[in-house]
Amino acid sequence: MRKKIVAGNWKMNKTFQEADDLLFEIADELNDKGRGEVDVIICPPFPYLEMAYDIASDNDFLVGAQNFSQWESGAFTGEISASMLHSMGITHSILGHSERRTYFGETDKVIAKKVDLALQHNVVPIYCCGEVLAEREAGRHFDVVRQQVDEALFHLGKEAIQMVIVAYEPVWAIGTGVTASSEQAQEMHAFIRGLFTQKYGAEVSAEISILYGGSCNAKNAAELFSNPDVDGGLIGGASLKAADFVAIVNSFE
Ligand code: PGA
């Protein structure tokens, strides 16, 4: 059975001391309130990964990166590779977040390379897809997401695809306070699962966790997560407060 997952995307937030405090607060809240059957993955900025990994090893969460380089290694000043992450025990990485696409020009072709590197180095990709507002308003949201998934993931074989976590993040809902309705989320998640069914068969698609992201918070998480094809969330703003984040973790029925 596929996993329930709540991942926190801290983006470019927190000083070293604030990150240390937040990691311990999350660990304490999780110890108090538990995490049920849910995998919790914290994705802090790169400089805090080692600290997060150390705290996670004594506690009940996993650690992921927010991105890594499309190249294996070499003369790429300022970049961080998948093999570096793996060598320090990091098990997951967000890939293809809309902010990477918008501000850093990442295309699905580039993201496909990163997905391959992730799998080569045993890093689980959390692949983000989702349409912008104009695309939804033009009724093109299904086409856009189909193309993203097709270009970034569908070169993978049946075994490899089962390593991937998908996050549907409608760009108009990210950081805006406007959440997709429960119906909109379920509709798109079912559509995405349908794409995996067509390509890999029902048995494989039933194993793939599809997370919702975009202004998901402690108030709306329970309704979003009650949908049959919503397997958890990728949480931005609300992952920066331990109590809110752990309330989201505990929002599953
Ligand atoms: P948000 O961000 O929860 O702040 O909308 C989600 C994300 O970008 O992953």
Side-chain angles (χ1 to χ4, degrees):
M1 193 53 200
R2 61 182 175 262
K3 286 181 180 158
K4 292 177 178 160
I5 298 165
V6 173
N9 175 10
W10 287 12
K11 309 193 182 184
M12 195 172 73
N13 289 297
K14 304 290 176 191
T15 62
F16 185 83
Q17 190 55 53
E18 289 166 351
D20 190 43
D21 291 347
L22 179 55
L23 287 161
F24 277 112
E25 283 167 27
I26 291 171
D28 288 348
E29 286 271 335
L30 285 171
N31 290 340
D32 281 359
K33 309 237 162 68
R35 59 166 181 85
E37 303 276 281
V38 184
D39 278 2
V40 176
I41 308 165
I42 308 288
C43 304
F46 285 128
Y48 311 147
L49 283 173
E50 187 177 1
M51 167 169 71
Y53 177 80
D54 286 345
I55 297 171
S57 350
D58 298 329
N59 288 286
D60 214 7
F61 63 90
L62 301 163
V63 179
Q66 297 173 15
N67 177 45
F68 57 76
S69 172
Q70 73 202 76
W71 293 289
E72 175 75 51
S73 66
F76 299 104
T77 301
E79 289 292 272
I80 285 164
S81 70
S83 69
M84 290 176 193
L85 296 175
H86 175 67
S87 71
M88 50 191 295
I90 302 304
T91 49
H92 293 72
S93 181
I94 298 169
L95 287 178
H97 190 280
S98 69
E99 288 147 19
R100 301 291 320 167
R101 295 174 189 261
T102 305
Y103 305 131
F104 302 95
E106 282 190 19
T107 60
D108 277 300
K109 216 171 152 200
V110 167
I111 301 161
K113 283 195 203 170
K114 296 188 181 195
V115 167
D116 290 344
L117 283 168
L119 296 175
Q120 273 167 38
H121 294 288
N122 277 319
V123 175
V124 174
I126 304 173
Y127 171 73
C128 302
C129 57
E131 79 286 356
V132 300
L133 186 59
E135 290 162 342
R136 178 161 281 263
E137 285 175 348
R140 294 183 47 231
H141 43 298
F142 293 119
D143 289 343
V144 168
V145 170
R146 180 195 289 116
Q147 194 176 341
Q148 290 173 334
V149 169
D150 184 36
E151 286 181 7
L153 298 181
F154 277 4
H155 61 288
L156 298 175
K158 258 193 180 184
E159 272 196 16
I161 196 71
Q162 292 179 69
M163 289 284 295
V164 175
I165 298 167
V166 176
Y168 168 59
E169 299 207 307
V171 180
W172 45 272
I174 296 178
T176 58
V178 179
T179 318
S181 69
S182 182
E183 293 74 27
Q184 285 171 324
Q186 168 56 25
E187 182 183 42
M188 183 58 89
H189 282 230
F191 173 76
I192 295 169
R193 197 174 309 284
L195 297 174
F196 286 108
T197 305
Q198 275 167 28
K199 175 84 182 166
Y200 300 102
E203 241 173 77
V204 170
S205 80
E207 292 302 318
I208 296 178
S209 296
I210 308 177
L211 316 183
Y212 170 80
S215 299
C216 182
N217 59 40
K219 291 206 176 89
N220 58 31
E223 196 186 343
L224 287 160
F225 296 175
S226 68
N227 288 298
D229 288 296
V230 178
D231 304 308
L234 178 55
I235 317 300
S239 72
L240 298 173
K241 282 204 182 131
D244 288 358
F245 182 65
V246 174
I248 296 171
V249 171
N250 287 304
S251 293
F252 290 91
E253 277 168 7

